[in-house]
Amino acid sequence: MSMRGALRAVAAALLLGLSLGECPNYSSHSQQHHEPLSTGAYGLSYQRPDPACRTFNSSGVEEIIVRLKDKIYDPDLSRLFENTFPNTLDTAIRWRGKAANNTAEELCFVITGDIDAMWIRDSADQIAPYKSAMHNTTDDIASVFRGVLNMQARYLVISPYCNAFHPPPESGMQVQINTHPYTVTPPYDKKIVFTCNFELDDFAAFLQLGHDYYKATGDVDFFGKFQWIYAIQSIMSASNALKQPTYGPDGVWVKPEYTFQSQTNTGAGTLGNHGIGNPVNYTGLLRSPFRPSDDSATYDFSVPANMMMAVYLESNADIMEQLPNAPQGLAQEMRDMAAEIREAIKTWGTVKAPNGKKVFAYEVDGYGGQNLMDDANVPSLLSAPFLGFLDKKDEIYQNTRSLILSRSNPFWCQGPVISGIGSPHVQPGATWPMAVIMRIMTTDDDIEIRTNMKMILSSTDGLGLIHESINAGDARRWTRQWFTWANGLFGQMILDIEARKPHLLQESYQPFRYMAAF
């Protein structure tokens, strides 16, 4: 069992004792079938808790669900949207309150699903789909966005290199100390930090969430309060350290700011070279020793994570320059870093594939080392248009897309149930629906959308939720029944189709043998 798998098992056991009155424990509830089943061939379970048992109720989100149910023709697709889109609000908002030292500062602690801890990246992605229900500061969901941003800002100021955290003292929630033997620098407080695998996409996810809140509400004043500016300064300081090469101009070793060693039974659970990782040259890219999957990188410069950083450093600089209390020059420093990253992606992240075409590498090291692959977790190369880094018609992106959606990608998985990009995070032969969803969101081809929609719909094992991974040949073999990030992304995909191609929501996605009776 991987380290994260072991943590899941412990967390699931803890959650069994956290039921609220008569409310079911969702870790168990989500593994069972509940009536009424959808009326299509897949008979999908109804997975929403009773309103009184939901962890947050948003009138704006409920209005979207009602609207889409009227627009989606296929009963199984309608049920899957109904279950997945609100899943984070239904099950994962573990605590909301105010900071102990400032009653105006909203806080929100969001668990990742089946693990009772808050990941920076996951929590941002979990609530991102609800920006569609947020139009001004008084919308109910706006309070959740502010609370998550303030909570993440606190964590990023305290331990910027850590990725998952315990509930805050204000919550009164029990903290289960992670006793797994890590050796990490800089040191951190285990009463605050759950795990400390540094992933660059944590920084990018925080920036994205700020962008989403500002774009929806125009509430620039919020960013000048509380700890947002301090969090940006913490991110910039760490990012400058993450640009440093392994060896300086004189050939002398440069001691890295961040190191990580762990006792693990998987090579991806620790960093080699005494916790340092493989050497890197100076490129202008930022290191990401761990991938969005929490697995260690082969080469530390993650191209998709750097793409995401460039996009949201730029948009957050626009916010920063409007704040009267912003440190002088900070907005320009953010823009300069984004520009350097973009140039470095052109120089170092763009390489030649075996067929001679230019593609983006997944990871590079600045010495010529390049990893031609893609991982299902976002940010990924597949997700580059979704991240806003480029247009989906970009020639290099299309070349890259052809490579990673084929056997040329070592983590491409193909089977009679579902085909798509997998991840070394789980055993070979497992497709991640997250990547299939992202494939739909990055194409304008109706046939490609229909084909991948049918695969997703047929692969939930009748539970009506999006799993982490699914055996490409057997829908009964999957990992993580309660994975709110992927659920929310599916809901976001349906809203994207409504905006781009509403006619596809009026079609049937039933298996051919069933359509005659449907």
Side-chain angles (χ1 to χ4, degrees):
M1 179 181 290
S2 70
M3 179 57 200
R4 193 164 185 180
L7 291 173
R8 267 189 228 119
V10 172
L14 290 170
L15 284 170
L16 290 174
L18 295 176
S19 59
L20 178 62
E22 297 300 316
C23 295
N25 172 264
Y26 201 76
S27 188
S28 302
H29 182 87
S30 53
Q31 297 186 62
Q32 302 165 3
H33 295 82
H34 308 278
E35 295 185 345
L37 305 181
S38 60
T39 57
Y42 301 111
L44 300 185
S45 170
Y46 180 75
Q47 291 288 8
R48 298 195 69 186
D50 290 337
C53 293
R54 296 170 190 169
T55 55
F56 187 85
N57 286 281
S58 166
S59 58
V61 170
E62 295 302 324
E63 288 171 4
I64 291 173
I65 294 170
V66 171
R67 186 186 82 233
L68 266 295
K69 285 186 70 176
D70 288 338
K71 290 190 174 184
I72 300 174
Y73 173 72
D74 189 288
D76 293 328
L77 186 62
S78 178
R79 171 58 55 81
L80 191 55
F81 175 77
E82 180 184 18
N83 285 342
T84 58
F85 181 58
N87 192 242
T88 290
L89 299 184
D90 283 355
T91 68
I93 309 297
R94 289 288 288 116
W95 176 82
R96 294 176 63 240
K98 301 295 179 65
N101 62 346
N102 189 337
T103 56
E105 183 179 357
E106 299 164 283
L107 298 176
C108 183
F109 184 76
V110 183
I111 62 173
T112 187
D114 54 0
I115 306 176
D116 205 21
M118 181 168 170
W119 263 253
I120 298 289
R121 180 260 333 289
D122 286 43
S123 59
D125 287 324
Q126 284 170 262
I127 68 165
Y130 307 127
K131 61 189 176 186
S132 55
M134 181 171 57
H135 308 288
N136 55 63
T137 59
T138 59
D139 287 331
D140 49 20
I141 201 65
S143 175
V144 174
F145 273 74
R146 290 190 295 268
V148 171
L149 279 164
N150 286 333
M151 194 76 265
Q152 291 183 349
R154 176 189 290 190
Y155 293 144
L156 288 167
V157 168
I158 294 172
S159 290
Y161 293 102
C162 295
N163 63 323
F165 296 83
H166 293 299
E170 291 95 331
S171 70
M173 294 170 59
Q174 181 182 1
V175 171
Q176 182 71 22
I177 302 298
N178 184 0
T179 58
H180 191 78
Y182 297 114
T183 302
V184 179
T185 56
Y188 61 86
D189 187 342
K190 289 188 176 182
K191 294 180 181 178
I192 298 173
V193 172
F194 183 64
T195 56
C196 200
N197 305 53
F198 176 69
E199 304 151 344
L200 183 60
D201 52 292
D202 287 331
F203 289 175
F206 174 74
L207 298 173
Q208 175 194 327
L209 198 63
H211 164 88
D212 288 346
Y213 176 77
Y214 173 68
K215 187 175 180 181
T217 66
D219 181 16
V220 71
D221 291 341
F222 164 77
F223 296 91
K225 305 173 184 177
F226 318 123
Q227 298 191 69
W228 184 80
I229 292 176
Y230 300 122
I232 296 294
Q233 290 177 307
S234 182
I235 286 172
M236 292 302 291
S237 176
S239 294
N240 280 312
L242 291 163
K243 288 197 296 184
Q244 298 307 307
T246 303
Y247 302 100
D250 55 1
V252 175
W253 175 57
V254 178
K255 186 177 181 180
E257 186 75 15
Y258 172 81
T259 66
F260 181 101
Q261 282 187 291
S262 172
Q263 293 181 16
T264 175
N265 61 0
T266 66
T270 189
L271 299 182
N273 200 15
H274 303 283
I276 298 169
N278 290 325
V280 295
N281 206 349
Y282 188 89
T283 61
L285 297 169
L286 310 181
R287 289 179 59 218
S288 185
F290 287 90
R291 296 171 177 165
S293 61
D294 293 348
D295 298 319
S296 59
T298 300
Y299 302 116
D300 274 12
F301 294 133
S302 165
V303 173
N306 273 275
M307 288 176 170
M308 190 176 181
M309 278 294 289
V311 170
Y312 291 110
L313 277 170
E314 292 164 345
S315 65
N316 279 251
D318 294 340
I319 298 171
M320 185 67 73
E321 69 179 1
Q322 298 180 63
L323 302 179
N325 58 333
Q328 186 174 4
L330 183 54
Q332 188 58 49
E333 183 186 351
M334 295 164 71
R335 288 198 177 95
D336 290 345
M337 181 176 286
E340 185 177 19
I341 291 171
R342 285 186 179 273
E343 189 61 32
I345 290 173
K346 291 180 184 178
T347 304
W348 299 98
T350 307
V351 301
K352 277 192 176 181
N355 63 5
K357 293 184 178 181
K358 285 187 178 181
V359 297
F360 294 112
Y362 184 72
E363 295 166 343
V364 295
D365 62 1
Y367 288 109
Q370 57 191 44
N371 197 352
L372 293 183
M373 58 162 280
D374 201 20
D375 187 283
N377 287 264
V378 179
S380 59
L381 293 176
L382 182 62
S383 69
F386 173 79
L387 301 174
F389 184 77
L390 45 68
D391 188 274
K392 65 171 72 78
K393 296 178 183 178
D394 179 270
E395 182 180 359
I396 298 176
Y397 173 72
Q398 284 298 322
N399 292 342
T400 306
R401 202 171 192 274
S402 295
L403 184 148
I404 60 180
L405 296 178
S406 75
R407 285 299 322 137
S408 295
N409 177 5
F411 296 102
W412 170 261
C413 300
Q414 191 163 342
V417 173
I418 186 169
S419 298
I421 298 171
S423 172
H425 190 67
V426 298
Q427 65 184 16
T431 295
W432 288 48
M434 182 181 293
V436 182
I437 293 167
M438 191 52 61
R439 183 173 183 177
I440 291 172
M441 296 183 77
T442 54
T443 184
D444 290 322
D445 186 325
D446 284 11
I447 295 175
E448 187 175 11
I449 292 172
R450 291 188 188 101
T451 300
N452 284 274
M453 188 83 80
K454 288 179 180 179
M455 287 193 294
I456 294 171
L457 205 57
S458 69
S459 63
T460 78
D461 195 20
L463 293 172
L465 292 168
I466 303 297
H467 303 306
E468 175 190 59
S469 73
I470 299 162
N471 183 283
D474 186 351
R476 297 167 298 178
R477 295 168 58 191
W478 44 261
T479 60
R480 299 189 75 178
Q481 80 286 355
W482 183 17
F483 188 31
T484 57
W485 175 12
N487 283 317
L489 188 63
F490 180 84
Q492 195 170 354
M493 180 206 74
I494 292 294
L495 292 175
D496 176 64
I497 291 176
E498 180 195 23
R500 292 193 298 131
K501 293 179 174 288
H503 62 280
L504 293 180
L505 297 183
Q506 293 295 310
E507 297 185 7
S508 170
Y509 294 92
Q510 298 295 301
F512 181 78
R513 66 183 181 278
Y514 189 78
M515 290 180 67
F518 178 58

